[in-house]
Amino acid sequence: MITEVAILSYPFNALIIGGAGGVLYCFALGLWRLYFSPIAKFPGPRLAALTYLVEIYYELLCGEGGQFPFQYRKWHQQYGPIIRVSPDELHIQDSAYHETMYSPNRPVNKPEKIAHRFGNPLSAFATPDHAKHRQRRSALNPFFSKMKVAQFSPEIQMSMQKILARLEREYVGTGRVLSLNRMWGCLSSDTIVAFAFERHYDFVESPEFHSALNQAMIDLLEPTHWLVHVPFVARIFQSLPDSLVRYLQPQMDSVIHFNTELTSQIAEVLSAGGNGEKNAGTIFSSLLHSSLPAEELTLTRLQHESISVIGAGVESTMRTLVVACFHIFDNPRIKEKLVMELTEAIPDARDVPSWDYLAQLPYLSACIEEALRLSYGTSQRMPRAFPNGALHYRNWTIPAGTMVSMDTYAVSHDEEIFPDSFSFIPERWLGNPKAPDGKQLSRYMVSFGKGTRSCTGIQLGYAELYIGLANFFRSSLISDAKLYKTDKSDVELARDRFAPRPKLGSLGVRIVFE
Ligand code: HEM
């Protein structure tokens, strides 16, 4: 009898002991996080210091998801400019500290846990370690030089001519609705694919301005928080065969096709040792002629680098163009001033001068800076860890290796620097303006990021913005264009998906030509 009870209760006892052990572990972990962790003394809600579930709730479950930026903004109002937003992360909201935090001189690591979120952990962008990032980034930089972009810029000009010809043919006077998100998505997709891979997809000629590449980049960002917080979802998804992905998500077809083409292009470049004539101007050829060691030049590594370049190049440029157009159409006074400047500077609309010349136009430049400010680049905070010594913020000492983040949204909407910050006011950028602390206002333009990890493609981004907007608003078609069922909520940040997203269900910025 005794033996029988003992046998029966054995699993029960094990369960009790295991459960008690678990509770004890959680209790000890909680105590450590709240009272003994090196960042225990920093202010912030205790629950967020105790568990990652708070961050997870706001990123995945609250409302439409992606609500964490709004929540920690509220915490800053309550607890001050430096707060603990999770058991292992501090967040600072103080625009003046941005350039210290994202300094070009200090070694800085990115967290490992976000390296896999876009399926390209071997890219420079995703690389956690500072030294490895430096090596990869130095190899990328020459490819994106200003001179190289300037040489390429006539191709952007040609794409714009195609777009304008199509608008005249298919949209003007027809009442047909034009999605500017799609139109600019075609321009940015064609540009990056031609610039980096010497491929010509001619998305600008596709029916309804549909660029599968652009749409795929938008779709790929949608699950980003899930992929970070529930990493096995990413592993499952990335291990699915192409045929199944096609079946589950038919819109991925063109991306898979693009990926396959890219892979065979890389294989071609690799087998020619980077010396083949055919792909001589591609990013792959450029990387093969860099000082990168052989283990950095594998097919997979080059694939990851190209995904990163496309992902970074397509979406952010498209979004900035869309934000610019919305506000310019929404403010007749701004539109009139811009059109007047362009008409004076460009006597013949069919002969738009070079990017260099356009960049000298003050009002166009001011509109571009203001659109960049309000499109943020990324809406998610950018976490960094400083491995080589403590970081000092006011009276606080942040221990070496601690994850700290800041975000662009807070700087763009710092009312002391950008009064009436939610309004589009190009004039704030005119005449070499200063911030209240006496520094150039441009020091607070942080939408391309700052420091060692800032945007590689900044020159290409600017070239597209200048050439795109100058052609569009100089065109005679513009006098008849007006917004169609579009308001501010179609461009304002409502959901963070690494990149900013408007309210759910928004159809983007649309216009018609009367
Ligand atoms: C308006 C246009 C653009 C904006 C606002 C923008 C913004 C940004 C931002 C904020 C980052 C830092 C992201 C982070 O650290 O989490 C970044 C990185 C990057 N951007 Fe851009 N970008 C633009 C256009 C482009 C273009 C056209 C390219 C060209 C292909 C490009 C390529 C990259 C790459 C490769 C990185 C990773 C750099 C690294 O980690 O070392 N971007 N961009």
Side-chain angles (χ1 to χ4, degrees), residues 204-280:
V204 293
E205 298 285 13
S206 64
E208 302 292 334
F209 283 108
H210 178 69
S211 151
L213 198 60
N214 180 49
Q215 190 54 46
M217 292 306 134
I218 293 171
D219 294 343
L220 284 173
L221 287 184
E222 202 48 36
T224 176
H225 296 308
W226 285 92
L227 300 184
V228 171
H229 293 298
V230 197
F232 71 86
V233 175
R235 278 197 292 275
I236 293 175
F237 199 73
Q238 282 153 15
S239 66
L240 293 180
D242 285 351
S243 52
L244 189 56
V245 176
R246 270 197 186 99
Y247 175 74
L248 295 172
Q249 277 187 295
Q251 73 273 28
M252 291 298 283
D253 187 52
S254 54
V255 181
I256 294 168
H257 174 72
F258 179 74
N259 240 329
T260 316
E261 274 203 11
L262 211 60
T263 310
S264 64
Q265 191 181 14
I266 300 171
E268 226 173 76
V269 178
L270 284 176
S271 72
N275 294 321
E277 238 175 63
K278 199 165 153 210
N279 295 298

Side-chain angles (χ1 to χ4, degrees), residues 61 73 84 88 106 113 139 204 248 257 277 285 288 301 308 311 327-328 343 345 362 370 412 469:
L61 305 172
R73 214 168 147 76
R84 189 175 174 192
D88 67 355
R106 194 184 297 112
K113 70 175 177 188
V204 293
L248 295 172
H257 174 72
E277 238 175 63
S285 195
L288 249 70
R301 235 276 307 153
S308 152
H327 288 290
I328 295 169
T343 312
E370 193 63 344
S412 281
L469 292 175

Side-chain angles (χ1 to χ4, degrees), residues 122-262:
L122 300 178
S123 65
F125 168 74
T127 307
D129 176 67
H130 173 75
K132 182 54 86 187
H133 173 262
R134 284 281 80 191
Q135 182 193 44
R136 291 176 171 165
R137 176 66 191 252
S138 311
L140 267 183
N141 283 343
F143 190 76
F144 291 98
S145 71
K146 191 167 184 185
M147 200 174 81
K148 227 177 145 294
V149 173
Q151 283 163 357
F152 173 81
S153 61
E155 282 210 35
I156 309 176
Q157 176 65 40
M158 259 157 48
S159 298
M160 273 317 294
Q161 279 164 6
K162 286 186 188 172
I163 288 180
L164 292 171
R166 262 195 86 179
L167 298 187
E168 192 158 13
R169 246 183 3 251
E170 298 174 28
Y171 289 85
V172 173
T174 62
R176 200 168 158 190
V177 179
L178 171 69
S179 157
L180 291 182
N181 296 56
R182 283 182 166 216
M183 185 186 91
W184 292 125
C186 286
L187 179 78
S188 67
S189 308
D190 276 343
T191 301
I192 191 64
V193 170
F195 182 77
F197 312 111
E198 294 191 327
R199 298 266 149 149
H200 295 89
Y201 282 74
D202 239 1
F203 288 122
V204 293
E205 298 285 13
S206 64
E208 302 292 334
F209 283 108
H210 178 69
S211 151
L213 198 60
N214 180 49
Q215 190 54 46
M217 292 306 134
I218 293 171
D219 294 343
L220 284 173
L221 287 184
E222 202 48 36
T224 176
H225 296 308
W226 285 92
L227 300 184
V228 171
H229 293 298
V230 197
F232 71 86
V233 175
R235 278 197 292 275
I236 293 175
F237 199 73
Q238 282 153 15
S239 66
L240 293 180
D242 285 351
S243 52
L244 189 56
V245 176
R246 270 197 186 99
Y247 175 74
L248 295 172
Q249 277 187 295
Q251 73 273 28
M252 291 298 283
D253 187 52
S254 54
V255 181
I256 294 168
H257 174 72
F258 179 74
N259 240 329
T260 316
E261 274 203 11
L262 211 60

Side-chain angles (χ1 to χ4, degrees), residues 478-505:
I478 282 309
S479 54
D480 298 329
K482 62 169 196 194
L483 289 172
Y484 174 80
K485 293 188 182 173
T486 302
D487 63 36
K488 224 175 173 183
S489 67
D490 292 302
V491 287
E492 274 185 343
L493 172 69
R495 297 171 294 140
D496 160 50
R497 294 290 187 271
F498 173 73
R501 293 283 176 262
K503 66 182 181 197
L504 210 62

Side-chain angles (χ1 to χ4, degrees), residues 102 110 114 117 123-127 133-134 137 140-141 144 191-192 195-196 305 308-321 372 375-378 380-384 408 446-450 452-462 464-465 498:
Y102 299 97
K110 267 188 175 180
I114 56 174
R117 60 185 162 172
S123 65
F125 168 74
T127 307
H133 173 262
R134 284 281 80 191
R137 176 66 191 252
L140 267 183
N141 283 343
F144 291 98
T191 301
I192 191 64
F195 182 77
E305 205 63 283
S308 152
V309 163
I310 297 168
V314 169
E315 239 272 325
S316 38
T317 315
M318 177 274 277
R319 202 161 8 86
T320 310
L321 286 161
L372 281 164
S375 55
Y376 319 122
T378 59
Q380 194 172 29
R381 63 203 192 281
M382 297 188 201
R384 305 284 186 260
T408 304
V446 298
S447 295
F448 286 105
K450 292 268 173 177
T452 52
R453 308 273 184 151
S454 66
C455 180
T456 329
I458 183 167
Q459 299 301 344
L460 188 60
Y462 267 123
E464 288 180 66
L465 297 175
F498 173 73

Side-chain angles (χ1 to χ4, degrees), residues 275-353:
N275 294 321
E277 238 175 63
K278 199 165 153 210
N279 295 298
T282 63
I283 189 166
F284 311 120
S285 195
S286 164
L287 289 176
L288 249 70
H289 286 113
S290 71
S291 55
L292 283 176
E295 70 268 18
E296 284 293 307
L297 296 167
T298 61
L299 189 113
T300 313
R301 235 276 307 153
L302 295 180
Q303 244 176 349
H304 286 200
E305 205 63 283
S306 25
I307 297 171
S308 152
V309 163
I310 297 168
V314 169
E315 239 272 325
S316 38
T317 315
M318 177 274 277
R319 202 161 8 86
T320 310
L321 286 161
V322 167
V323 167
C325 286
F326 168 75
H327 288 290
I328 295 169
F329 280 121
D330 199 40
N331 289 278
R333 183 193 57 81
I334 294 176
K335 184 178 157 200
E336 194 182 320
K337 261 177 111 169
L338 177 64
V339 170
M340 205 189 300
E341 181 183 79
L342 292 171
T343 312
E344 254 173 45
I346 309 170
D348 180 356
R350 285 156 307 170
D351 185 18
V352 174

